[in-house]
């Protein structure tokens, strides 16, 4: 027992790092891996069981709670972006340096890639039985959609791009509101849970067109994995070369959402001096405040 503890202590001393870039990169890698493992794992369970073990609602719930789980893993270290669209928005808002932005994106991509590999390993036998070992992108036994998004038959590329911009912008507005200490910010320990609920809400409202990827790393890295693992280059040419839509769309949407929140909310927060003055009692003035309204109707 003593030797075991000594070994663990020695390993900790050797592996421990105080480098901010390494610490944040490792945290984003592991958090994004958890997101993909649970999220894409839920899709695999639904598809490979022929919807017998899961439904689309359970996938929505799994992705929401997967974001929560991944965020709890790394929030105290890196802030739990788990998404290059979030990292880009934070960079635009000057809350993240360009060096950290690049490290975050790389770590998220690698985490998503390994997460997809783990889902593939987890369901390897089931994939073979379901598709007879024939990895296909489209068709009755297609399995590529377990790992990355593909458009519905009705969806054009332009509409798909619009879908991703709107969905990601809405998500970023909600995330910034949850984190905004000058607004009605959630307690720090609850923030990952509430952000997961926001992802669930996006899935419930905006998942029909293409499965709400809203995360370039979540979509592109598993797509690369499927191209290597046997699905081939069709994963990039399918859907009229759809692959770039869930990459560029969320990046644009993240910036749009951040700008909207800044213009409508953040710009108008009172300065510290104004806030102190506003807290002084003034006779005859009723200031707006937040309260839960109960109705007897």
């Amino acid at each position: 027992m003593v030797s075991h503890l000594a070994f663990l202590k020695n390993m900790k001393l050797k592996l421990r790092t105080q480098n901010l870039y390494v610490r944040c990169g490792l945290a984003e890698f592991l958090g994004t891996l958890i997101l993909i493992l649970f999220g894409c794992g839920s899709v695999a369970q639904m598809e490979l069981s022929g919807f017998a073990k899961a439904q689309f609602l359970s996938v929505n719930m799994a992705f929401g709670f997967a974001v929560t789980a991944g965020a709890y893993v790394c929030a105290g270290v890196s802030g739990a972006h788990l998404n290059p669209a979030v990292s880009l928005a934070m960079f635009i808002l000057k809350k993240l340096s360009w060096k950290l932005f690049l490290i975050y994106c790389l770590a998220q991509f690698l985490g998503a890639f390994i997460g997809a590999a783990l889902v593939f390993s987890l369901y390897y036998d089931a994939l073979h039985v379901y598709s007879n070992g024939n990895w296909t992108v489209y068709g009755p036994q297609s399995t590529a959609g377990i790992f990355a998004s593909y458009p519905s038959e009705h969806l054009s590329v332009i509409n798909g791009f619009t879908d991703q911009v709107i969905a990601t912008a809405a998500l970023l507005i909600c995330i910034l509101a949850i984190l905004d200490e000058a607004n009605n910010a959630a307690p720090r320990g609850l923030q990952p849970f509430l952000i997961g609920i926001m992802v669930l809400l996006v899935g419930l409202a905006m998942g029909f067109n293409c499965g709400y990827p809203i995360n370039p790393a979540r979509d592109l890295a598993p797509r690369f994995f499927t191209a290597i693992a046997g699905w081939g280059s069709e994963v990039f040419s399918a859907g009229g070369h759809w692959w770039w839509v869930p990459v560029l769309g969320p990046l644009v949407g993240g910036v749009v959402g951040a700008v909207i929140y800044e213009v409508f909310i953040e710009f108008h927060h009172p300065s510290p001096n104004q806030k102190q003055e506003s807290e002084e009692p003034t006779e005859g003035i009723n200031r707006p405040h937040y309260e839960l309204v109960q109705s007897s109707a």
Side-chain angles (χ1 to χ4, degrees):
M1 183 67 178
V2 175
S3 61
H4 176 66
L5 292 176
F7 173 76
L8 290 177
K9 185 177 181 180
N10 188 40
M11 288 296 294
K12 180 179 178 180
L13 292 173
K14 288 184 176 180
L15 296 176
R16 181 180 176 85
T17 179
Q18 295 296 325
N19 186 294
L20 175 65
Y21 300 111
V22 176
R23 291 174 64 240
C24 289
L26 291 173
E28 286 293 312
F29 170 85
L30 185 58
T32 310
L33 185 156
I34 292 294
L35 162 60
I36 299 303
L37 178 61
F38 288 125
C40 290
S42 71
V43 182
Q45 182 168 265
M46 178 184 69
E47 292 285 350
L48 299 179
S49 69
F51 290 79
K53 301 294 184 182
Q55 301 294 324
F56 190 58
L57 175 60
S58 64
V59 171
N60 291 332
M61 295 179 66
F63 262 107
F65 288 122
V67 168
T68 294
Y72 273 121
V73 165
C74 63
V77 179
S78 66
H81 293 186
L82 310 180
N83 184 341
V86 175
S87 297
L88 178 60
M90 295 304 172
F91 171 71
I92 295 296
L93 296 176
K94 297 184 178 181
K95 296 181 180 180
L96 191 71
S97 69
W98 69 269
K99 289 183 179 179
L100 274 176
F101 168 65
L102 294 177
I103 288 171
Y104 273 45
C105 290
L106 177 61
Q108 291 156 4
F109 183 89
L110 293 175
F113 186 92
I114 299 302
L118 291 176
V119 172
F120 180 77
S121 300
L122 180 68
Y123 284 107
Y124 183 77
D125 288 345
L127 283 163
H128 262 283
V129 171
Y130 181 80
S131 63
N132 294 317
N134 184 24
W135 311 137
T136 57
V137 176
Y138 284 116
Q141 307 302 120
S142 63
T143 48
I146 291 172
F147 300 93
S149 71
Y150 295 89
S152 298
E153 292 183 2
H154 70 272
L155 190 67
S156 67
V157 170
I158 298 300
N159 192 185
F161 184 81
T162 304
D163 172 288
Q164 287 302 285
V165 171
I166 293 173
T168 313
L171 176 64
L172 257 294
I173 291 170
C174 294
I175 289 175
L176 292 173
I178 290 170
L179 301 178
D180 188 358
E181 294 292 341
N183 196 346
N184 189 38
R188 289 183 63 85
L190 281 178
Q191 289 172 359
F193 175 75
L194 294 176
I195 291 172
I197 293 297
M198 293 304 104
V199 173
L200 169 59
L201 184 59
V202 170
L204 293 174
M206 307 177 191
F208 173 61
N209 281 334
C210 57
Y212 70 105
I214 59 173
N215 183 336
R218 172 264 173 275
D219 197 86
L220 184 60
R223 195 182 300 273
F224 266 112
F225 173 79
T226 53
I228 296 170
W231 281 265
S233 62
E234 189 182 359
V235 300
F236 291 102
S237 62
H241 297 276
W242 163 263
W243 70 270
W244 65 269
V245 175
V247 175
L248 184 59
L251 293 174
V252 173
V255 173
V256 169
V259 170
I260 289 174
Y261 189 83
E262 290 287 298
V263 171
F264 281 81
I265 303 295
E266 179 72 25
F267 286 174
H268 313 294
H269 287 330
S271 66
N273 292 335
Q274 291 175 323
K275 191 171 183 180
Q276 186 176 4
E277 292 174 1
S278 69
E279 290 173 351
E280 297 176 357
T282 305
E283 186 177 354
I285 297 179
N286 294 321
R287 292 186 174 83
H289 61 283
Y290 176 77
E291 65 177 356
L292 294 175
V293 179
Q294 294 181 345
S295 173
S296 59

